[in-house]
């Protein structure tokens, strides 16, 4: 048996090395590369993507997978090897029907498109981005079509790429419950909103000091700076080459204290996940976070569940005040906690609070459903976007930059990605209630000892990489499926407390 | 005919893309990657290097090259295509005899070795680096041996990799002349050395202001920040992905004004070369600087010939003074020019002045000759290094960090590279006298108009990439071979002026 799996190794190695290169090229483009470089560099990216595609999708690998279908061969595999084969089969289902030439073109195009999006956003010009967006949608529709063997809807195929087994039916129910339960809460909160002041947040905060504090807080929650770096980019993100090279970015603004701090905590959550993947799995195809949803659950767990809690800030708020005494001396810990949890409908997703965040996602989900259901044209998109903001959040974007052009995701060809954020929120809440039941969670935070919390996540989630999918993780931790009720309970409890509402 | 060359394109494309990835990985390791990352990342580097090797060195490419040997086929090629074929044949001569497995191991090893060197240097511990150095030397000896078909000496083979056609015979003569002519000059200069004071240089210069000034001066001499970036690393270097993504680094020290400024001018010279390569050639195998020697000629032309001249600083010295008024208000332009040209024997190559620099190279050249002539053991290296410093520069290193561990080059497996620096100096001087004879060189500098100078270099050197080698460039520019006499003349004229010696 050994032999059959060994034959696969060179292909897996090549795929790993090319993934490393492509990840670094993408990181570099977002953080450092000179303005005019991408036009040439994207040629190299196209070729490398093609090589990566061909490293796994070829007749040799197909034959090896075929051989491994026999029960006899399969029984010889250990757990890790079975996970590798399962993941490889999943990749096959995603890619093998797509002609390699088209895939290469798409990779090249989607590597360059974000720079066109960035320019269009800066110039507030949707028309400049529209044809690019149209082309990306066409690619994705065509790819979904190639793969469509069982009459599955295109958008379900895209959703499944980011979260195995998640469909429109599931999400309609998921968001339906949130709408029913959270819209009344949001309306109540808005009514009482004047009682919370967060004027402190828009005072002037030296960027150099923000940098130092953010680096410190990232380390405080568990980011290991021997295995990772914190850099700057327009749009905060995280990425990694393997479990010893994990990278996050943020964007500092002088007149916004919370922005960088919470984006760093968020990205550190992603990073801690990747740093926690076991050495046996890193640099293999099962050596990354298992899905976008689970990834977002970790970032949001750190950013919101922990990072916006009283217990988290109790031991460290004095450090923040001593970093910015002039601005914060008169802001009590209680004021600060209410400030960082203030809910206010706004137009920009990445600036949204926990309560309104899911509505931003719901809007994008509904738009993607329309786009991939062929019920909408490129020209209509901005208006429909604006209408939905008016419907759900009571505000209308004044221009495309604060409307449809605000997110980078579509420019990279990532459709079906946004719902992961909502799924992540729900998982984070579900984990939270479970962890509170098995450990002195609040005590740890109050004592500034986050290690047991990080260790629990490492032991139960991080180390497994892709060996368990989202539902398997939840099942093994708490013997339950994904359940949005926890998230609804979490929001109700939290906001009733922050706004002194009666618990319903 | 079209067909035969077209068959080559996928191999060339793949080589280009992998080169891009490997260049970026190397850059990233030197500038940004987290400490513990390299152990895993080097696995990916090994695999990518192997792929790059196999992209060009394979039977298909060999057969295509065979077909192109026929006169009929060759006549169909245009000039650029002929250059591509010539370069490919040269690469074949360098690589085809090396077993791909060993080449991969070497690439992996030499990607990791600089981090061991850096640690050994920081700890001043030659013993820690010695086995690594030994292994690198063994690789290079073995590789030279594989390639050795005509009884050529190993070191000549390595020299030729960096500068086509340059041999020990040539260099013995080259350095012999410099010894005869420059040692007396150096002795005279040392005698008069007290007359030049450069105390200003070790005052305190805010790093933030140094950064701004360096960025400005880089742009002033022609570095295009839309096509390049300036970053920081322990050891200044330059690299590029293509002609629109060119990168340089420097290292700022608060108590050293000149260090960063001149290293930035130096690296900008390398960068301007790569930015000047024509769009038709970039991202092809003839789309980079033609040799290390010519590359160094450009960096040194900007750093020394231009950058340390009175005419260059006349229009811009006031800007430097106004950046650092406290430190420089009492330093006249004339004092500054003499200060930046002060010659003083020292132990560190990268801090050396123009006059002593070549002796640092000569020492390394002589040591490499001994190493590859098998006349020396690993244990003896530090003592021989120190003895040579005592002989040529009258100083003895107190420890390995200021002795044999000072340079990164050997840790990357680059033996035969150092002489390029001396060749570069000679070419720069030769170009200088020629350019003064064909354009109002000093006038341009005095008017702060460097464009005609950069344009001349672009038109006559940069744009050609590897299409002309060093000797072909010199022949086409001035109908002459490389001639060290210009360099000797240049040093004599310059230092006689700086030290008010009588011209000999």
């Amino acid at each position: 048996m050994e032999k059959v799996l060994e034959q696969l190794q060179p292909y897996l190695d090549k795929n790993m090395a090319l993934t490393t290169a492509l990840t670094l090229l993408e990181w570099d483009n977002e953080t450092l590369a000179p303005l005019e470089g991408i036009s040439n560099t994207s040629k190299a990216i196209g070729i490398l993507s093609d090589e990566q595609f061909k490293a796994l999708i070829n007749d040799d690998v197909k034959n090896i997978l075929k051989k491994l279908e026999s029960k006899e061969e399969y029984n010889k595999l250990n757990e890790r090897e079975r996970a590798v084969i399962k993941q490889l089969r999943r990749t096959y289902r995603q890619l093998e029907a797509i002609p390699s030439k088209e895939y290469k073109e798409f990779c090249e195009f989607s590597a360059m498109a974000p720079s066109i999006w960035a320019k269009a956003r800066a110039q507030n010009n949707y028309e400049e981005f529209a044809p690019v967006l149209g082309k990306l949608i066409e690619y994705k529709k065509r790819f979904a079509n190639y793969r469509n063997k069982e009459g599955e809807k295109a958008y379900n195929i895209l959703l499944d790429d980011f979260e195995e087994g998640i469909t429109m039916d599931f999400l309609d129910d998921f968001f339906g419950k949130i709408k029913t339960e959270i819209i009344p809460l949001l309306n109540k909160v808005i009514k009482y909103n004047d009682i919370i002041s967060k004027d402190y947040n828009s005072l002037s905060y030296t960027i150099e000091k923000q940098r130092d504090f953010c680096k410190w807080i990232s380390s405080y929650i568990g980011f290991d700076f021997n295995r990772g770096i914190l850099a700057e980019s327009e749009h905060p993100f995280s990425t990694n080459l393997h479990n010893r090279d994990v990278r996050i970015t943020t964007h500092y603004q002088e007149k916004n204290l919370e922005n960088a701090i919470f984006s760093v905590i968020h990205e550190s959550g992603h990073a801690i996940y990747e740093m926690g993947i076991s050495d046996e799995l890193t640099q293999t195809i099962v050596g990354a976070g298992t899905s976008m949803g689970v990834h977002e659950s970790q970032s949001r767990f750190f950013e919101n569940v922990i990072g916006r809690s009283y217990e988290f800030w109790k031991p460290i708020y004095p450090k923040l005040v001593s970093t910015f005494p002039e601005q914060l001396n008169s802001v009590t810990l209680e004021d600060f906690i209410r400030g960082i949890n203030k809910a206010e409908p706004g137009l920009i997703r990445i600036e949204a609070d926990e309560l309104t965040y899911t509505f931003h996602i719901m809007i994008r989900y509904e738009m993607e459903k329309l786009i991939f259901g062929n019920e909408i044209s490129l020209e209509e998109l901005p208006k429909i976007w604006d209408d939905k903001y008016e419907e759900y959040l009571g505000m209308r974007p004044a221009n495309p930059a604060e409307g449809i052009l605000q997110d980078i995701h579509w420019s990279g060809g990532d459709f079906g990605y946004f719902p992961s954020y909502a799924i992540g929120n729900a998982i984070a809440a579900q984990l939270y209630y479970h962890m509170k039941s098995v450990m002195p969670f609040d005590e740890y935070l109050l004592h500034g000892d986050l290690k047991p919390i990080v260790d629990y996540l490492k032991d139960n989630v991080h180390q497994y990489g892709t060996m368990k999918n989202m539902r398997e993780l939840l099942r093994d931790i708490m013997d339950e499926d994904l359940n949005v009720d926890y998230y609804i309970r979490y929001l109700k409890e939290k906001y009733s407390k922050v706004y002194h509402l009666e618990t319903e």
Side-chain angles (χ1 to χ4, degrees), chain A:
Chain A
M1 158 53 238
E2 283 289 297
K3 278 290 166 59
V4 178
L5 202 74
E6 267 172 29
Q7 288 163 17
L8 209 52
Q9 204 51 48
Y11 300 98
L12 294 171
D13 283 349
K14 192 170 162 185
N15 175 64
M16 177 279 284
L18 289 162
T19 303
T20 305
L22 286 162
T23 304
L24 186 63
L25 279 156
E26 195 182 349
W27 155 272
D28 186 75
N29 265 334
E30 298 291 334
T31 53
L32 203 63
L35 203 61
E36 292 186 20
I38 185 63
S39 56
N40 283 341
T41 306
S42 63
K43 283 180 219 157
I45 292 173
I47 293 164
L48 294 169
S49 305
D50 185 42
E51 288 295 322
Q52 187 197 27
F53 181 95
K54 292 189 294 193
L56 292 187
I57 310 299
N58 60 61
D59 289 345
D60 290 347
V61 173
K62 206 170 179 168
N63 289 334
I64 298 169
L65 284 178
K66 191 103 199 146
K67 283 183 208 159
L68 288 167
E69 273 171 19
S70 88
K71 196 158 181 182
E72 193 195 350
E73 292 297 340
Y74 189 76
N75 284 340
K76 292 183 199 161
L77 302 178
N78 66 28
E79 212 179 345
R80 190 181 63 84
E81 290 162 347
R82 285 177 189 182
V84 166
I85 299 303
K86 187 178 167 217
Q87 184 64 23
L88 192 53
R89 291 222 164 91
R90 185 165 151 81
T91 305
Y92 253 76
R93 283 198 301 278
Q94 288 170 352
L95 296 180
E96 74 174 329
I98 302 172
S100 73
K101 190 167 162 287
E102 282 182 42
Y103 185 73
K104 182 182 166 193
E105 282 165 11
F106 166 73
C107 291
E108 200 167 322
F109 188 71
S110 64
M112 201 174 56
S115 64
I116 301 171
W117 160 78
K119 206 173 143 207
R121 189 175 79 151
Q123 297 172 350
N124 232 321
N125 184 350
Y126 172 73
E127 281 67 36
E128 191 168 336
F129 180 56
V132 172
L133 180 60
K135 205 167 156 185
L136 290 163
I137 292 169
E138 273 317 306
Y139 270 119
K140 282 292 182 171
K141 280 185 181 168
R142 205 162 356 119
F143 289 178
N145 205 35
Y146 288 138
R147 294 162 56 186
N148 195 347
K149 286 173 184 157
E150 290 106 26
E152 189 56 91
K153 290 195 172 111
Y155 190 48
N156 275 343
I157 291 174
L158 299 180
L159 287 172
D160 187 84
D161 283 351
F162 292 102
E163 195 65 61
E164 199 175 355
I166 292 295
T167 61
M168 284 188 274
D169 283 348
F170 179 91
L171 288 174
D172 286 344
D173 181 57
F174 181 97
F175 286 122
K177 276 189 186 157
I178 291 177
K179 261 195 245 184
T180 312
E181 300 282 345
I182 302 302
I183 288 183
L185 177 63
L186 177 61
N187 289 335
K188 209 180 285 180
V189 161
I190 293 171
K191 223 165 52 192
Y192 290 102
N193 224 341
D194 292 345
I195 65 168
I196 297 181
S197 152
K198 54 184 297 178
D199 293 346
Y200 66 84
N201 191 49
S202 47
L203 301 175
S204 190
Y205 295 88
T206 331
I207 284 176
E208 203 48 57
K209 283 189 185 176
Q210 287 195 52
R211 270 198 198 102
D212 290 345
F213 187 82
C214 284
K215 192 168 176 193
W216 174 83
I217 206 167
S218 178
S219 184
Y220 178 79
I221 63 174
F223 186 97
D224 178 353
F225 279 92
N226 284 322
R227 300 168 72 164
I229 54 173
L230 165 57
E232 292 172 40
S233 65
E234 183 60 29
H235 189 92
F237 72 101
S238 71
T239 189
N240 68 302
L241 304 187
H242 42 69
N243 69 355
R244 286 164 200 274
D245 188 329
V246 183
R247 301 169 181 219
I248 61 176
T249 70
T250 189
H251 183 79
Y252 300 99
Q253 293 172 274
E254 200 180 320
K255 303 233 160 180
N256 193 327
L257 173 65
E258 289 174 14
N259 209 327
I261 291 177
F262 287 98
S263 94
V264 165
I265 299 178
H266 177 98
E267 303 303 339
S268 297
H270 284 301
I272 289 166
Y273 189 176
E274 294 292 342
M275 284 174 176
I277 284 171
S278 80
D279 284 339
E280 288 69 46
L281 299 187
T282 195
Q283 295 191 302
T284 74
I285 59 167
V286 294
T290 192
S291 71
M292 285 317 306
V294 178
H295 239 301
E296 282 300 318
S297 80
Q298 299 307 292
S299 55
R300 272 146 210 287
F301 185 86
F302 282 96
E303 178 192 354
N304 294 328
V305 176
I306 290 184
R308 294 183 197 271
S309 73
Y310 173 85
E311 293 77 12
F312 175 74
W313 281 100
K314 181 77 169 60
I316 65 173
Y317 186 61
K319 185 179 162 73
L320 183 63
V321 175
S322 72
T323 307
F324 300 110
E326 254 179 72
Q327 300 91 326
L328 297 177
N329 256 339
S330 62
V331 181
T332 67
L333 172 58
E334 289 69 21
D335 292 342
F336 179 72
I337 296 302
R338 299 187 79 198
I340 61 177
N341 284 295
K342 183 171 183 171
E344 256 177 321
L347 293 166
I348 306 298
R349 179 183 60 84
I350 59 165
E351 293 170 6
D353 54 83
E354 268 187 283
L355 191 57
T356 56
Y357 193 89
T358 301
F359 294 95
H360 292 267
I361 298 307
M362 213 182 287
I363 289 167
R364 285 152 181 79
Y365 167 65
E366 290 178 3
M367 294 207 63
E368 289 185 343
K369 268 185 14 177
L370 291 171
I371 290 170
F372 287 92
N374 296 317
E375 293 158 38
I376 197 170
S377 73
L378 280 176
E379 292 70 36
E380 292 170 288
L381 284 175
K383 185 178 174 301
I384 298 184
W385 178 288
D386 297 350
D387 288 349
K388 286 190 182 290
Y389 265 84
E390 196 145 9
E391 183 190 345
Y392 289 124
L393 293 165
M395 306 175 81
R396 203 171 178 86
N399 56 55
E402 59 181 40
I404 192 157
L405 286 182
Q406 70 182 265
D407 295 309
I408 194 174
H409 304 60
W410 290 348
S411 78
D414 290 332
F415 302 93
Y417 181 124
F418 283 118
S420 313
Y421 292 118
I423 292 168
N425 279 331
I427 300 169
Q430 197 163 343
L431 275 174
Y432 167 63
Y433 286 109
H434 179 74
M435 286 172 77
K436 275 178 81 104
S437 76
V438 298
M439 63 168 69
F441 193 84
D442 290 346
E443 292 302 304
Y444 287 143
L445 292 178
L446 286 167
H447 289 103
D449 179 15
L450 274 73
K451 196 169 177 304
I453 294 173
V454 173
D455 284 349
Y456 181 88
L457 292 169
K458 184 174 171 174
D459 291 345
N460 290 280
V461 180
H462 305 173
Q463 63 158 326
Y464 294 111
T466 322
M467 285 190 58
K468 300 181 183 182
N469 69 21
M470 180 259 286
R471 282 168 159 157
E472 289 162 346
L473 285 169
L474 290 178
R475 184 200 61 204
D476 291 351
I477 293 170
M478 63 188 86
D479 202 17
E480 226 188 307
D481 195 9
L482 177 63
N483 182 346
V484 71
D485 294 344
Y486 290 105
Y487 182 50
I488 290 167
R489 174 180 159 198
Y490 165 82
L491 288 177
K492 282 184 180 174
E493 284 182 5
K494 175 160 202 172
Y495 283 93
S496 297
K497 207 163 139 198
V498 169
Y499 282 86
H500 305 312
L501 307 172
E502 285 176 3
T503 312
E504 293 173 67

